[in-house]
Amino acid sequence: MPDVQSMVAEFVNKLRKRKIEGSQATAKCTVELLRSVISHQRVPHANQAAALIDAVKAVGQQLVAANPVELAVGNVVRRVLHIIREEDLSLTTAAMAGLDLLDASDDDDIDNCKGIGYPAMSAAVVAAAARSTLRPPSLQTLLEGTPESATVPYTSSSGADSESKTADKSSLTRKLKHDVIEGVNQLIQEISGCHEQIAEQAIEHIHQNEVILTLGSSRTVLEFLCAAKEKKRSFRVFVAEGAPRYQGHLLAKELVARGLQTTVITDSAVFAMISRVNMVIIGAHAVMANGGVIGPVGVNMAALAAKKHAVPFVVLAGSHKLCPLYPHNPEVLLNELRSPSELLDFGEFSDCLDFGAGSGSLQVVNPTFDYVPPNLVSLFITDTGGHNPSYMYRLIADYYSADDLVM
Amino acid sequence: MGAQKKKDAARVPEDLSRQRLQAIVIADSFTTRFRPLTLERPKVLLPLVNIPMIDYTLAWLESAGIDEIFVFCCAHSLQLIDHLKKSQWCSLVRTIVSHKSTSVGDALRYIYEQQHTETSQIQGDFVLVSGDTVSNMPLAELIREHRERKKRDEKAIMTMVIKKQSSRLRIGSDQLFVAVDPLTKQLLYYNEGGEVCLDKSLVMDTSVLVCNDVQDCYIDICSPEVLSLFEDNFDYQHLRRHFVKGLLVDDIMGYKIFTHEAHSSCYASRIDNLRSYDTVSKDIIQRWTYPYVPDISFSGNRPLKLGRRGMYRASDAVQSRSADIGASTVIGYGTRIGDGGKIFNSVIGNGCSVGSNVVIQGSYIWNNVTIEDGCEIRNAIVCDGVKIRAGAVLLPGVVLSFNVVVGRDFVVPAYSKVSLLQQEIKEDSDEELECADSSKGTADLLSDVNNLQMESKASELGPDGAGYIWEVCDSVHDEEWWKHSIVPIPMDKLADITQVMDDDDIEDESVVPPRGELKSDNDSISTDANDPNDDDYCYFQREVRETFLRAVEEDNNVDHVTPLINSLRFSYNMASADCAGAIFYSMMRLAIDTPHSSTSELYRNATSIINKSKGLLGFYVKQIDEQIEVIMKFEEMCEETAELVPLFAQIVHFLYDKDVVQEDAILRWGEEKAGADESDKVYLNQCEAFIQWLKEASEEEEDEEDEEDS
């Protein structure tokens, strides 16, 4: 356990100091950390799922607090919680089916009414729980404020298990943990494989002799474009350089190395060039529940230009970037402001900063992200395929449990 | 981005396998600039935008990949150790405590001694910084550079970080002159503040880069030899003034110091006075120090929320709707702000309560401060636990130390420092000393003072106040107190300085003495009240006289004296006329000093001397102005020495005869003097006949010429 704790502390530290960059890397680190948390978590006999959920939640809260701007962390934590709940549910349904059988056979052995009553009730509760998790949460359950609505009934059902079934139960415990870790492993694979999944669809979207515009640097975009190139599509790429960090330069370098026809333009030239562009493809930092996109600074401008000229604006996002939050949360909307030294030379401008009382002082704002409202986005391409912005909420409901939205 | 992370991961084990990276943090400034605050709390624990200074240093060192940090504590070591224990760095940090040290030199010597008694101390190259450094500079590159250089050249024992800085006034530091070899980056010359005296060879060598627009970050990468050097030279106290100078000037064992110019995108600054405290705080709020900014929890601090216009607010801060909180403001946890307050450009700590209609501008309010209604605070530092009663006013530059109480409607005078502790009457002449008392001692003192305050009714801060007002400035930085104050430099001072700097620039362009003392503009600032040239002229005159006397004694030829006087002239930056005056002065003094019995004998002496050295004088009196200067000088001398008065006309005549002074000069002098007071005309009257004769002679000449022409 202590080694997990130190691992968590180390990762929290890295997030705090902004040493990990990029949502994919962060997501991967987070999910690997959570896997070890789960595997080291000692599970009690009763109520195992709740114990796991609590453990993951506790770590998740720390991680989210460490860098609230990096939404991928929260997404992955919620995904893991969702996996636990799902596995728990499927095991319960399986157990319920088993109990029904047992009920029939053990009916005459157990003579007190309690014995008869419990399994029957537990089965009903389990069924109700199963329904409640499959169904979107009703207003009532939300208002009741019982976050573990799915697990509470399970407690009673496991309590109802008689001593004679301890062997069965311990195997069940092991099975739950095993299944959860299996599920988390799948999630890891999904995250690391999301580039390929997205890139596979490239051929359907990029056509011969098209001109593609992109902004900043995104690994997903790079793979996407290269995949189209490998399929013998010939097209041109305009790369807006993405001031002030100029990551577009790096992307252009990579694209040229892979044999694509590439043109670098300044961010401010986007509007001038957009009429010659067939499609804008960008990578997102996060996709919000309403279909809005948080991307590198300058993206909103490109989206507006694309809208004006009716150019499709396509956003590539791995499923770990889908965030179940709505962008009215100021902490999310408000951006990471980075050092002004990316814009200005400190030595040269230090004079204007705060000299004298009377003179004006220079302020520099260097936001990292931009928000693109959903009406400007034409299409999302995730690892599960292309989606409309208005479909995002549905996708999110598939990936996350409603109980975990507020951590 | 994924690739970048992998690279990081790959680099770390490589570094680990090579050598542990160590750093020494000197957590004591050994100066008195932050007094009286440092009497009660070590300087490195003073909050900088609500986070202790040392946390910035440690967070930076940690993220730069330092594996072990030795923190050297001196004053208030208990407080510091306590803080470090509670911080998240306790596994990384080892403390070294010595109460006897009074300088960086002592500290390093102590560490060196400890090295032999304890195991696992400084093993290899280490980073030496002071505990008040705020930086986000990556060190890995720098350390690698240092190590590689060390491998090539055994003698390269130190790499010093410098940084381009457009104005030293920002952080109130002294003028820094460095000379660097642009190819090897070796430091050849270092001077901070004092008279700049460049070696001739440095200036002649065109491949040397001499600059005065850099800032010393006080971040050094040192090899272990540095410690042993301090041990060997037990009189080294100051790292720059003694150690660096010693190495550069005395050339000890051929050790070399190299420089590294920090990339302009990274921030590095040291807080060694209140001015830099203000500047660095503002830089932090402006996020130049990213990621060490208040909305990121880099040291286990509770992060604040960043709002629009650079406003950082704690989530539980309570603010009245009518309060006007301007840009670049920080408000800490649990702070309440009353109605109608106006707060601009200020930092307010945790747990403060600010009453209604309070104006706070450009100030630093620390934790748990109570400010009652209607107070006005401008450009001040207010420490923990201070109470400011209703209606009190803090004028710019005020520093209120811990737990001071400002009385109702009291106006604290500008630039005053207030403390519960009384100022020591006798300032120790050794300015390098920060309070070396143990913290326990101060605490006792403090409680005594508290008791005293309770008993005595009279306070220097109004009837219901508590605290002593300290003398505004300490003796050392007398004339530059405003430069180190928390207040932004006043506009008029600023204008003065820029004026002086511009003047200097012009001078530098016109006359660059090949060897000599360039006056640093610090001095001209400090003495701008009285004309600095006066003093210089006296020295110059004396030197010329000595040179002249030596020459006469040795019976030297004029040719030998001229270069000597020329060099004096250049080093004092004098005009040719000044030289002429000084030489003439020397000659006449010699005449006066030669024993004589009567005025006629004096006249004979004078004429013989003039005769002998008229060549020398002639060298400088080629122009009319210079000749007039000689006559004026003679006038002055007559004022001083009565003996000469009767001889005035005779000697002037003699000078005319010997062609030292031309008739034009005498006539011009006569014209100038004609308008003067009667008292001034004594000498003119003496020469009346002579001038008359000259005029006639010239008219005759003209007549003759006219005749010839016609």
Side-chain angles (χ1 to χ4, degrees), chain A residues 344 349-365, chain B residues 170 282-283 285-286 288 309 327-328 345 488:
Chain A
L344 300 178
F349 284 88
S350 53
D351 266 0
C352 337
L353 290 175
D354 51 12
F355 224 71
S359 57
S361 77
L362 178 71
Q363 307 235 342
V364 188
V365 179
Chain B
R170 270 196 101 227
K282 280 180 180 143
D283 290 342
I285 292 170
Q286 298 273 325
W288 290 97
R309 296 197 298 153
S328 307
N345 283 324

Side-chain angles (χ1 to χ4, degrees), chain A residues 315-326:
Chain A
V315 176
L316 309 184
S319 57
H320 60 272
K321 293 186 180 175
L322 297 182
C323 180
L325 303 174
Y326 283 84

Side-chain angles (χ1 to χ4, degrees), chain A residues 16-17 19 336-337 350, chain B residues 62-63 170 287 290 297:
Chain A
R16 267 192 195 146
K17 296 199 174 136
K19 280 206 161 175
E336 178 92 359
L337 293 184
S350 53
Chain B
E62 192 215 5
S63 63
R170 270 196 101 227
R287 306 181 74 78
Y290 182 92
S297 152

Side-chain angles (χ1 to χ4, degrees), chain A residues 233-244:
Chain A
R233 285 278 148 87
S234 104
F235 54 94
R236 291 174 62 198
V237 182
F238 283 173
V239 180
E241 58 185 354

Side-chain angles (χ1 to χ4, degrees), chain B residues 365-513:
Chain B
I365 315 283
W366 295 359
N367 303 328
N368 304 318
V369 174
T370 309
I371 300 171
E372 292 180 3
D373 299 352
C375 292
E376 208 171 298
I377 300 173
R378 286 178 204 281
N379 299 102
I381 291 186
V382 178
C383 293
D384 291 7
V386 169
K387 279 195 179 57
I388 302 176
R389 300 240 184 264
V393 176
L394 306 191
L395 291 176
V398 168
V399 175
L400 297 184
S401 187
F402 298 88
N403 300 316
V404 163
V405 181
V406 179
R408 191 171 285 273
D409 296 324
F410 188 81
V411 178
V412 184
Y415 297 105
S416 57
K417 296 179 176 177
V418 185
S419 172
L420 283 186
L421 301 170
Q422 234 166 338
Q423 190 168 20
E424 290 155 60
I425 311 300
K426 172 80 193 82
E427 273 284 322
D428 204 330
S429 62
D430 187 4
E431 56 149 324
E432 298 289 302
L433 207 72
E434 190 172 313
C435 173
D437 318 346
S438 72
S439 43
K440 190 172 158 285
T442 352
D444 285 351
L445 202 61
L446 196 65
S447 61
D448 284 355
V449 169
N450 273 333
N451 294 339
L452 235 153
Q453 286 296 332
M454 294 303 155
E455 289 161 20
S456 69
K457 295 127 278 178
S459 159
E460 294 181 36
L461 293 175
D464 48 354
Y468 296 97
I469 298 182
W470 284 32
E471 300 258 325
V472 170
C473 40
D474 48 18
S475 50
V476 190
H477 304 285
D478 219 354
E479 62 291 305
E480 290 180 355
W481 50 269
W482 48 268
K483 222 164 154 186
H484 295 149
S485 156
I486 194 81
V487 186
I489 295 168
M491 289 315 270
D492 52 331
K493 300 272 190 201
L494 202 61
D496 284 358
I497 298 164
T498 35
Q499 181 69 43
V500 169
M501 283 201 281
D502 289 350
D503 289 356
D504 272 17
D505 286 350
I506 295 162
E507 276 169 32
D508 284 355
E509 276 161 27
S510 54
V511 240
V512 178

Side-chain angles (χ1 to χ4, degrees), chain B residues 92-371:
Chain B
L92 199 71
V93 167
R94 296 159 60 97
T95 47
I96 301 172
V97 184
S98 157
H99 290 294
K100 288 187 292 256
S101 303
T102 55
S103 69
V104 178
D106 285 346
L108 292 179
R109 274 187 284 281
Y110 186 80
I111 292 169
Y112 185 77
E113 284 161 21
Q114 293 294 305
Q115 200 164 5
H116 297 292
T117 56
E118 278 178 51
T119 50
S120 88
Q121 285 272 348
I122 300 298
Q123 289 145 345
D125 299 334
F126 60 94
V127 183
L128 178 63
V129 293
S130 71
D132 48 13
T133 310
V134 177
S135 174
N136 57 5
M137 190 174 68
L139 284 175
E141 183 71 15
L142 180 58
I143 293 172
R144 195 174 313 125
E145 195 180 292
H146 175 80
R147 282 182 175 157
E148 269 161 26
R149 191 184 293 129
K150 185 80 197 301
K151 228 175 272 169
R152 282 199 310 273
D153 185 355
E154 277 287 299
K155 301 291 184 190
I157 57 164
M158 186 159 137
T159 304
M160 185 192 279
V161 178
I162 56 173
K163 196 168 177 299
K164 276 254 179 303
Q165 171 92 18
S166 55
S167 167
R168 74 204 145 79
L169 293 169
R170 270 196 101 227
I171 57 163
S173 60
D174 293 326
Q175 171 102 345
L176 176 68
F177 257 96
V178 291
V180 178
D181 186 328
L183 285 178
T184 62
K185 303 279 179 228
Q186 189 186 344
L187 181 72
L188 302 171
Y189 177 79
Y190 182 96
N191 191 315
E192 192 168 21
E195 288 271 296
V196 176
C197 180
L198 286 176
D199 198 63
K200 193 174 181 176
S201 61
L202 274 183
V203 183
M204 289 307 168
D205 191 348
T206 47
S207 65
V208 172
L209 186 70
V210 183
C211 38
N212 68 344
D213 59 345
V214 291
Q215 174 201 348
D216 187 349
C217 304
Y218 285 89
I219 299 166
D220 303 317
I221 316 295
C222 303
S223 295
E225 286 91 337
V226 171
L227 287 182
S228 54
L229 264 177
F230 265 98
E231 181 67 16
D232 295 344
N233 298 278
F234 53 85
D235 55 336
Y236 283 176
Q237 303 292 338
H238 193 276
L239 189 62
R240 293 290 187 257
R241 249 173 270 161
H242 300 123
F243 176 74
V244 169
K245 209 161 197 175
L247 240 56
L248 290 176
V249 177
D250 305 341
D251 196 23
I252 298 167
M253 326 253 293
Y255 283 135
K256 292 174 199 158
I257 298 173
F258 288 83
T259 57
H260 173 90
E261 194 174 323
H263 193 259
S264 62
S265 68
C266 42
Y267 187 85
S269 187
R270 214 189 133 196
I271 298 159
D272 59 353
N273 52 46
L274 292 172
R275 183 89 285 278
S276 52
Y277 179 88
D278 177 52
T279 313
V280 173
S281 295
K282 280 180 180 143
D283 290 342
I284 291 169
I285 292 170
Q286 298 273 325
R287 306 181 74 78
W288 290 97
T289 57
Y290 182 92
Y292 310 112
V293 286
D295 62 328
I296 294 183
S297 152
F298 59 87
S299 69
N301 52 310
R302 291 166 80 186
L304 302 171
K305 288 219 172 72
L306 174 59
R308 298 199 188 278
R309 296 197 298 153
M311 277 174 51
Y312 298 83
R313 278 191 57 190
S315 47
D316 66 346
V318 181
Q319 172 202 338
S320 157
R321 272 179 189 274
S322 57
D324 178 9
I325 298 188
S328 307
T329 312
V330 178
I331 295 170
Y333 282 91
T335 290
R336 312 175 70 85
I337 293 164
D339 302 331
K342 284 189 168 50
I343 300 176
F344 302 103
N345 283 324
S346 297
V347 176
I348 299 180
N350 303 332
C352 296
S353 106
V354 179
S356 47
N357 299 318
V358 170
V359 178
I360 301 177
Q361 197 179 27
S363 300
Y364 299 88
I365 315 283
W366 295 359
N367 303 328
N368 304 318
V369 174
T370 309
I371 300 171

